[in-house]
Amino acid sequence: MGRVGASFTAVRNAPGFAVAARRAARVTLAAGAAFYLFLYGFGDTVAATYALFGAVSLAGLSRIPGTGRQRAAVVVRLLPVSWLLITAGTFLAVRTWSAVAGMLVIGFVLAFIAVGGPRPAGAAPGLQLLYILPSFPPYAPDTLGQRLVGATVGILLLVAAEAFLFPEPPTVSYRELAARALDTAEHCAGRLASPPYRLSEGDLGAAKEATARLRPMTVPEADRPAGPSVRDRALAHTGLATRTLLSRLARLPAGPAAEGDRTGAEVLGAVRRTAAQAAARLRGVPPVADAADVADAVDARDGLLRARAALVAERDESSGASGPSAASAVSAASGSSGVPARLRRHAAVLEVADAALAVATAADLALRGRAAAAGVPTMRFWYARMRAPRLWWIRLWGYTGSRSVFFQNAVRISLALAAARAVAGLDTLPHGFWATLAALTLTRTTVRETGTTIRAALIGTLVGALVTGVLLALVDTHTNVYAAALIPVMLLTFTLGPVKGVGWAQALFTLTVALVFAQLAPASWQLAELRLVDVLIGSAIGAVFGLLAWPRGAQEELQRSGAVLLRGAAEVVVATTASIAAGGAREAMPVVPGRRSLRHALYLAESAYAQFQSEPATPVERHAVGAVVGGGGELQERPAVSEPAQVLDPDWQAALMAGHHTQWGADRLLEPPEPLRPGPVALPTLGREAAASVTRLGDRVAGRMLLVSGSLDRGSDTPSAPVPLRDPAFDDFEAEPDGAPWLYYATVFWLDSLMTDLERITGTARA
């Protein structure tokens, strides 16, 4: 007894037990009530079957994220989709070939709809079951009404249970997380705008913590802005821009250049007000002006634009708007080191201002949608004026192709389901939908994970079949025993399954379906045998397609897409620095070579990274990044890599941030200030020395991006000798060419940030 009690205590204290128990209670009450209502209240076995599986599909099989009320809202919207799937399955069951074709097409669509975000992805398995169930014999279109009524009642009871039973505490929304991060940015900007013009260790720690809380992988799935709509994209943009703002504030140069920078302080004050206003808008409340802001009754964003324009004017005056010779004169009059230090600070302050403007614009779009799109820069906020169908098409088309993990998963699962339906139809397999259900639930994204899952599932199914066979042999046709046992067994199934793993889930689910079907029709111990055979067939099919269709899952695609992302970023870096070095007049909105390809590479890399996070890591799958990219003395947290066999894990999120920083930095440097001015725009002339320095730096950063990309996705001829990212003998990042204008220092600041991103990828960042 002591051992049993200890085991029960361990299960009860297991992570996720309380959540699983609440969800199990809801689905058990909804499914059980609907099943008993139709079976014993109305004597309708068809409606009873669909009532039970309607609730089980969207709660037991689906994993829709969020609180109970959030899931209830999603399930209500899925009700019409459920009707369509049941209707399609009913009529396509007329022939095996039509059912298989439907399984192939509908299975692919339902799996691929995961590109819409966590909620569609979580609901997809349950929706698959709602097509699988009616697509098997008997072909009975005359019972369609009973099927729809039963499923509707079961789903509506589930909605009521999710919404009102065992309420869960509300989670902190992503909007509120962004608002809290903006509160931190407001505080930091205020500290930097006044003496001593620097952040304390506590301020830096708070900024780092606020940044970490906005990372998608630390946010509950239901609260991640992952949808394709304008508001979802803008909210995700708000989080990314807020992280950039906090990062830029933390890196703002201090020292003597900050003490006399009155215009820079005014910009930072405007940044503080803009952050406060954006946070208030995200919370849905009007900002409260303090005593210092009473006279400034206009929108904070407009005030920031004016302060930014004043800083640009002062910057141009300091660096010499007419060219490097004027800058040299100013430098000679002000001291050889004063002007470069001031220009470096101006470049950093302008980065802060641009990040704050991006936050304000994105927050407004997240709140008002397309209504806030007037005057929004179309290069950065390309989605602002697009309607929902267009944005959905862009999302779907962007993830269509053999290199997309969403596309790979959809192909894999649809082929497995179609094969299982074909085997069940051609072999007239009794209860063949169990085989298809096994293929659906046991096929994983990697062959290793599929094999592990199938082994546990078969052991669990065997144990469940033995218990079921004994139960059916002893109880025989006494349905009252099955009716009494169904609810507690179902409760155990949906509680222990998510906590204890797939083996327990299959064992208990085998017993559950036996209790259900024993009430629908007389059953013998052979029902357990059929269940075991069906699961074995479905598992074999899942294993075959797990082996044949992209067996390495997201790991291989993440390596490839990360490398492609950095190669695209290198192309944009070279094109941007070449344009800046050339200077002169250009169009107001230039087309940077590789920009569109970089955006598409970001799509694919982000989707691969999202799936990679859900797959178990293996030592075999670790990659030797440090074998190519070595250390640089004091810049390393780890020793320099000297042997190709040494393994370092790449920071994939840093790779994604490098792509975003490349795109945003190119936009900031080549686009004119908001709002856009019509006609051509003149870039400052750098001068020969500054232009040569920018070109060298751009080529070096691009070369290091290519080097890191090769280490992420190694080929047989990838160089194995370690090469440092930063060379102490190559110090152009600290160079101050005579007469260099502001654009030079802004570009160097951007390139230095990209080099820091590369160091984070390879694990050689500054301590």
Side-chain angles (χ1 to χ4, degrees), residues 354-390:
D354 288 341
L357 289 171
V359 169
T361 304
D364 203 19
L365 286 169
L367 195 66
R368 299 195 293 134
R370 292 178 64 245
V376 169
T378 55
M379 291 292 285
R380 179 176 291 185
F381 301 94
W382 55 270
Y383 54 84
R385 295 178 176 84
M386 295 183 181
R387 298 185 181 275
R390 170 74 171 159

Side-chain angles (χ1 to χ4, degrees), residues 144-224:
L144 178 60
Q146 297 166 270
R147 296 177 176 186
L148 292 176
V149 169
T152 301
V153 171
I155 291 172
L156 290 179
L157 285 177
L158 174 64
V159 169
E162 292 280 19
F164 301 110
L165 295 180
F166 314 112
E168 298 160 321
T171 58
V172 179
S173 68
Y174 195 80
R175 227 179 240 188
E176 176 59 26
L177 289 174
R180 293 178 183 179
L182 286 171
D183 290 340
T184 304
E186 176 193 1
H187 171 78
C188 291
R191 292 293 299 270
L192 291 168
S194 58
Y197 305 106
R198 67 176 66 248
L199 299 179
S200 66
E201 290 298 324
D203 296 331
L204 292 172
K208 183 178 181 180
E209 183 180 355
T211 299
R213 288 177 178 171
L214 286 176
R215 291 176 179 171
M217 299 312 298
T218 65
V219 179
E221 282 187 301
D223 297 310
R224 295 177 193 169

Side-chain angles (χ1 to χ4, degrees), residues 5 70 99 278 280 302 324 354 473 568:
Q70 289 174 323
D302 294 337
D354 288 341

Side-chain angles (χ1 to χ4, degrees), residues 230 259 320 357 380 460 583 686 733 739 766:
V230 170
E259 297 175 2
L357 289 171
R380 179 176 291 185
L686 298 189
F733 286 107
R766 295 174 187 268

